[in-house]
Amino acid sequence: MSNTTLSDQLLNWIDGHFDEEVGFLQKIVRIPTDTPPGNNAPHADAVAELVAAWGWQAEKHQVPAAAVKDYGMESITNLIIRRQYAGAGPVLALNAHGDVVPPGEGWTKQPYGGEIENGRIYGRATTVSKGDFATYIFAVRALEALGVPLKGALELHFTYDEEFGGLLGPAWLLENQLTKPDLVIGPGFSYNVVTAHNACLQFEVTVHGKATHGSMPETGHDALQAATKVLQAIYAKLPDLKKISSAIPGITHPTMIVGRIDGGTNTNVVPGKVVLKMDRRMIPEEDPAAVEADVRAMIAAAVADLPGIRVDIRRLLLARALRPLPGHEKLLASVQKNAQAVLGEAIPAIGSALYTDARLYGEHGIPVVLYGAGPRTLMESNAKQADENLALDDLRKATKVVALTLLDFLAQ
């Protein structure tokens, strides 16, 4: 049977089962996985039960409770669904994460409602990245429904730690030698393929002073005043960061923000402690060790002349950059060819300013590309914002592109 005929059958199967795919996505969106607090094992249990209806066995890999608690979460069960085929060939993994940032305020829809309106499904993680649970599962089902001989193997990796960095998600699976695929497709959007992304350093900066009564501020040491010096140093650095350019399309320059500030005890008390949480994004060309040293030196210098002030800097996260690895080009070429056929347009290979847990496969030498269901830009979907949504047409098209790519690699 020709590949053209097989491709038509594949696409027709997806069209014929698309209502089922949307229903599946609604079911998994309706199970909250806010991280924090990160009680995500119930979602994994539900996904395992859903796929069992098709005769699939989902291996449940429960991360030890003590490690999860130390990490700041409540429960993590990562899933691996292995589909082994008769012929010799590559092991291709599809990875998406089920943990999500909490909904926050401003929603006009139910954050976990899975409501459909005007051709869109609304809910937290419809785009990032429960939508790609559906994309990948139904692409695999379409491939297997062809009934033709297949080679190699497919693995579906559904992990629950991306928002905290992935160290108890993909990294934990890889380090415990539970998987070692040859190629990986991770969650992405329909109109580009991501082959590289930024690195990220996050710090907790604790400024210690001495609290005292607000009527006698000179008897204490104001930690908030000192923290203001740190903030000024951070913001003064931003123009220099904009002068550092990446050669990778889609990635511009490094960034640095302070995302959270906590401190003080009362209105009439000089603050004795202030905690800043900051995020420094690095382009792939930067050296994380050098960047970390620079950040630490900048903060120390900002408060060096302030008596009674001490600063502790704790690294919260180092997420390394994703870079193209040898072997990714075949995967990239297949995705781009198939996207051209389905979308009717060429889609670019770009870098992303985001960081993802896909980098952890790259750190183990496994080529990765990011492709899945989503709009042309992150902001169009309100990803991680109120009223996050996914166009159903983008879900349908991405499922077709992924299924055709699987056919390229696994059909005998």
Side-chain angles (χ1 to χ4, degrees), residues 207-224:
V207 183
H208 299 276
K210 180 184 177 183
T212 190
H213 198 284
S215 64
M216 301 179 293
E218 67 280 356
T219 63
H221 300 290
D222 192 332
L224 182 55

Side-chain angles (χ1 to χ4, degrees), residues 273-295:
K273 183 174 80 171
V274 174
V275 180
L276 311 176
K277 290 189 176 180
M278 61 179 294
D279 177 297
R280 169 66 159 85
R281 299 294 166 110
M282 298 169 284
I283 61 174
E285 291 90 341
E286 288 185 288
D287 175 11
V291 169
E292 180 166 358
D294 287 346
V295 170

